[in-house]
Amino acid sequence: MKIIKLHNSQKSLIKKASNNNREAQEQLFKQHSPKMLGVCRQYLKDLHHAEDLLLQGFFKVFKNLHTFKHEGSFEGWIRRIMVNTCISYLRKKNVIDLSDEDYVFNDAATESLENTSVEDIQKLIDQLPEGYKMVFNLYAIEGYKHSEIAEQLGISESTSKSQLFKARKQLQQNYIKMNTVVHEDK
Protein backbone atom coordinates (compact mmCIF):
# COMPACT_ATOMS: atom_id res chain seq x y z
CA MET A 1 0.00 0.00 0.00
CA LYS A 2 1.35 3.40 -1.02
CA ILE A 3 0.93 6.27 1.42
CA ILE A 4 0.64 9.77 -0.02
CA LYS A 5 1.48 12.59 2.34
CA LEU A 6 -1.32 15.10 2.79
CA HIS A 7 1.21 17.93 2.99
CA ASN A 8 2.42 17.27 -0.57
CA SER A 9 -1.12 17.26 -1.91
CA GLN A 10 -1.74 20.62 -0.19
CA LYS A 11 1.47 21.97 -1.73
CA SER A 12 0.42 20.67 -5.13
CA LEU A 13 -3.04 22.21 -4.77
CA ILE A 14 -1.51 25.58 -3.81
CA LYS A 15 0.85 25.41 -6.79
CA LYS A 16 -2.00 24.65 -9.18
CA ALA A 17 -4.12 27.45 -7.69
CA SER A 18 -1.23 29.92 -8.03
CA ASN A 19 -1.13 29.04 -11.75
CA ASN A 20 -4.79 30.15 -12.00
CA ASN A 21 -6.23 26.63 -12.01
CA ARG A 22 -9.87 27.43 -11.17
CA GLU A 23 -10.64 23.94 -9.83
CA ALA A 24 -7.71 24.14 -7.41
CA GLN A 25 -8.77 27.64 -6.35
CA GLU A 26 -12.31 26.43 -5.78
CA GLN A 27 -11.03 23.50 -3.71
CA LEU A 28 -8.90 25.82 -1.53
CA PHE A 29 -11.86 28.17 -1.14
CA LYS A 30 -14.16 25.31 -0.06
CA GLN A 31 -11.55 24.03 2.42
CA HIS A 32 -10.84 27.34 4.11
CA SER A 33 -13.86 29.62 3.59
CA PRO A 34 -16.00 28.37 6.51
CA LYS A 35 -13.26 29.05 9.06
CA MET A 36 -12.26 32.34 7.41
CA LEU A 37 -15.88 33.53 7.40
CA GLY A 38 -15.74 33.03 11.16
CA VAL A 39 -12.61 35.20 11.27
CA CYS A 40 -14.31 37.98 9.28
CA ARG A 41 -17.43 37.66 11.41
CA GLN A 42 -15.37 38.35 14.54
CA TYR A 43 -14.63 41.82 13.21
CA LEU A 44 -18.00 42.65 11.64
CA LYS A 45 -21.47 42.42 13.14
CA ASP A 46 -23.22 42.10 9.79
CA LEU A 47 -22.91 38.66 8.19
CA HIS A 48 -23.33 40.10 4.68
CA HIS A 49 -20.42 42.49 5.16
CA ALA A 50 -18.37 39.61 6.58
CA GLU A 51 -19.16 37.54 3.48
CA ASP A 52 -18.17 40.43 1.21
CA LEU A 53 -14.84 40.78 3.02
CA LEU A 54 -14.33 37.03 2.86
CA LEU A 55 -14.58 37.23 -0.93
CA GLN A 56 -12.28 40.27 -1.06
CA GLY A 57 -9.83 38.42 1.15
CA PHE A 58 -9.84 35.33 -1.07
CA PHE A 59 -9.32 37.54 -4.10
CA LYS A 60 -6.15 38.79 -2.36
CA VAL A 61 -5.19 35.22 -1.43
CA PHE A 62 -5.35 34.03 -5.03
CA LYS A 63 -3.71 37.18 -6.36
CA ASN A 64 -0.78 36.76 -3.95
CA LEU A 65 -0.63 32.98 -3.75
CA HIS A 66 2.70 32.96 -5.56
CA THR A 67 4.22 34.77 -2.55
CA PHE A 68 3.35 31.98 -0.08
CA LYS A 69 6.68 30.34 0.79
CA HIS A 70 5.36 27.13 2.40
CA GLU A 71 6.97 28.21 5.67
CA GLY A 72 4.46 27.91 8.44
CA SER A 73 0.76 27.29 8.19
CA PHE A 74 -1.11 28.04 4.97
CA GLU A 75 -4.27 28.55 7.02
CA GLY A 76 -2.41 31.06 9.19
CA TRP A 77 -1.28 32.90 6.05
CA ILE A 78 -4.87 33.12 4.79
CA ARG A 79 -6.08 34.14 8.25
CA ARG A 80 -3.64 37.07 8.35
CA ILE A 81 -4.94 38.26 4.95
CA MET A 82 -8.53 38.06 6.21
CA VAL A 83 -7.72 40.00 9.39
CA ASN A 84 -5.86 42.67 7.41
CA THR A 85 -8.77 42.91 4.94
CA CYS A 86 -11.22 43.46 7.81
CA ILE A 87 -8.99 46.04 9.49
CA SER A 88 -8.53 47.93 6.21
CA TYR A 89 -12.29 47.97 5.65
CA LEU A 90 -12.99 49.27 9.17
CA ARG A 91 -10.30 51.94 8.82
CA LYS A 92 -11.82 53.18 5.56
CA LYS A 93 -15.24 53.38 7.21
CA ASN A 94 -13.72 55.45 10.06
CA VAL A 95 -15.54 53.39 12.67
CA ILE A 96 -12.47 52.77 14.79
CA ASP A 97 -11.84 55.00 17.79
CA LEU A 98 -8.52 54.07 19.37
CA SER A 99 -7.71 56.58 22.07
CA ASP A 100 -5.54 55.97 25.09
CA GLU A 101 -7.36 58.30 27.45
CA ASP A 102 -8.02 57.00 30.96
CA TYR A 103 -5.42 54.29 30.54
CA VAL A 104 -5.46 51.73 33.29
CA PHE A 105 -4.35 48.14 32.86
CA ASN A 106 -5.47 45.39 35.12
CA ASP A 107 -5.06 41.63 34.83
CA ALA A 108 -8.23 40.86 36.77
CA ALA A 109 -9.62 37.50 35.73
CA THR A 110 -12.90 37.49 33.86
CA GLU A 111 -15.85 35.47 35.07
CA SER A 112 -16.23 31.92 33.86
CA LEU A 113 -17.96 31.61 30.51
CA GLU A 114 -18.18 27.80 30.51
CA ASN A 115 -21.97 27.71 30.38
CA THR A 116 -22.30 30.48 27.81
CA SER A 117 -22.96 29.58 24.18
CA VAL A 118 -20.63 30.65 21.39
CA GLU A 119 -23.49 32.69 19.92
CA ASP A 120 -23.95 34.59 23.19
CA ILE A 121 -20.22 35.26 23.44
CA GLN A 122 -20.22 36.58 19.86
CA LYS A 123 -23.18 38.83 20.73
CA LEU A 124 -21.22 40.22 23.68
CA ILE A 125 -18.20 40.88 21.46
CA ASP A 126 -20.45 42.50 18.82
CA GLN A 127 -21.66 45.00 21.44
CA LEU A 128 -18.13 46.37 21.88
CA PRO A 129 -17.14 49.62 20.16
CA GLU A 130 -15.12 48.86 17.02
CA GLY A 131 -11.75 49.91 18.51
CA TYR A 132 -12.20 47.72 21.58
CA LYS A 133 -13.48 44.86 19.45
CA MET A 134 -10.56 44.99 17.03
CA VAL A 135 -7.89 45.01 19.75
CA PHE A 136 -9.74 42.31 21.70
CA ASN A 137 -9.97 40.07 18.61
CA LEU A 138 -6.34 40.62 17.64
CA TYR A 139 -5.09 39.93 21.16
CA ALA A 140 -7.46 37.32 22.61
CA ILE A 141 -8.49 35.44 19.48
CA GLU A 142 -5.68 35.91 16.96
CA GLY A 143 -2.91 35.81 19.58
CA TYR A 144 -1.10 38.99 18.55
CA LYS A 145 1.18 40.73 21.07
CA HIS A 146 0.49 44.34 22.00
CA SER A 147 3.59 45.45 20.07
CA GLU A 148 2.23 43.75 16.92
CA ILE A 149 -1.22 45.24 17.41
CA ALA A 150 0.29 48.69 17.93
CA GLU A 151 2.32 48.39 14.74
CA GLN A 152 -0.57 47.05 12.68
CA LEU A 153 -3.05 49.68 13.85
CA GLY A 154 -0.62 52.59 14.08
CA ILE A 155 -1.16 53.13 17.81
CA SER A 156 1.03 52.89 20.91
CA GLU A 157 1.36 49.71 22.93
CA SER A 158 -0.23 51.45 25.90
CA THR A 159 -3.25 52.31 23.74
CA SER A 160 -3.52 48.66 22.73
CA LYS A 161 -3.38 47.60 26.38
CA SER A 162 -5.90 50.26 27.34
CA GLN A 163 -8.33 49.20 24.60
CA LEU A 164 -8.00 45.55 25.71
CA PHE A 165 -8.61 46.47 29.34
CA LYS A 166 -11.69 48.52 28.42
CA ALA A 167 -12.97 45.73 26.16
CA ARG A 168 -12.61 43.16 28.94
CA LYS A 169 -14.31 45.47 31.43
CA GLN A 170 -17.23 46.11 29.08
CA LEU A 171 -17.50 42.40 28.27
CA GLN A 172 -17.69 41.62 32.00
CA GLN A 173 -20.37 44.26 32.55
CA ASN A 174 -22.41 43.06 29.56
CA TYR A 175 -21.98 39.44 30.66
CA ILE A 176 -23.27 40.28 34.13
CA LYS A 177 -26.23 42.17 32.63
CA MET A 178 -26.99 39.26 30.30
CA ASN A 179 -26.93 36.76 33.18
CA THR A 180 -29.01 39.03 35.41
CA VAL A 181 -31.71 39.20 32.72
CA VAL A 182 -31.55 35.41 32.20
CA HIS A 183 -31.86 34.71 35.93
CA GLU A 184 -34.72 37.20 36.34
CA ASP A 185 -36.61 35.43 33.52
CA LYS A 186 -36.47 32.11 35.37
Side-chain angles (χ1 to χ4, degrees), residues 38-94:
V39 170
C40 294
R41 179 61 186 82
Q42 290 169 349
Y43 291 88
L44 298 150
K45 292 178 188 178
D46 185 271
L47 179 61
H48 298 294
H49 283 111
E51 289 171 342
D52 288 345
L53 290 175
L54 171 78
L55 295 176
Q56 288 177 29
F58 267 102
F59 178 76
K60 292 175 185 177
V61 165
F62 295 133
K63 183 179 176 186
N64 297 298
L65 203 51
H66 64 281
T67 65
F68 180 66
K69 295 180 170 87
H70 299 280
E71 297 169 359
S73 162
F74 181 61
E75 183 178 304
W77 184 78
I78 294 175
R79 181 182 206 96
R80 183 171 286 263
I81 291 172
M82 295 299 161
V83 168
N84 289 336
T85 301
C86 291
I87 290 171
S88 294
Y89 170 79
L90 291 169
R91 271 192 183 146
K92 286 178 187 170
K93 291 289 183 186
N94 288 325

Side-chain angles (χ1 to χ4, degrees), residues 116-176:
T116 306
S117 72
V118 173
E119 292 81 14
D120 284 342
I121 293 171
Q122 185 63 55
K123 285 178 189 174
L124 291 171
I125 293 170
D126 284 344
Q127 292 172 5
L128 293 173
E130 292 300 329
Y132 294 7
K133 182 177 172 182
M134 188 173 307
V135 171
F136 179 81
N137 281 331
L138 289 169
Y139 184 85
I141 297 174
E142 302 297 333
Y144 284 68
K145 297 176 184 161
H146 286 293
S147 59
E148 295 170 320
I149 295 168
E151 183 180 323
Q152 187 164 12
L153 298 179
I155 58 175
S156 68
E157 281 187 54
S158 64
T159 300
S160 176
K161 290 175 183 177
S162 173
Q163 294 288 304
L164 179 63
F165 170 75
K166 291 174 185 178
R168 285 178 172 165
K169 186 174 180 177
Q170 188 169 340
L171 283 170
Q172 284 177 333
Q173 291 169 348
N174 291 347
Y175 178 72
I176 290 167

Side-chain angles (χ1 to χ4, degrees), residues 14-47:
I14 293 168
K15 184 173 172 54
K16 287 178 185 176
S18 69
N19 290 327
N20 291 324
N21 180 308
R22 298 295 181 223
E23 289 176 13
Q25 289 175 342
E26 181 181 4
Q27 211 170 342
L28 286 174
F29 180 81
K30 284 181 179 177
Q31 283 177 6
H32 297 282
S33 63
K35 196 175 270 189
M36 295 306 127
L37 179 58
V39 170
C40 294
R41 179 61 186 82
Q42 290 169 349
Y43 291 88
L44 298 150
K45 292 178 188 178
D46 185 271
L47 179 61

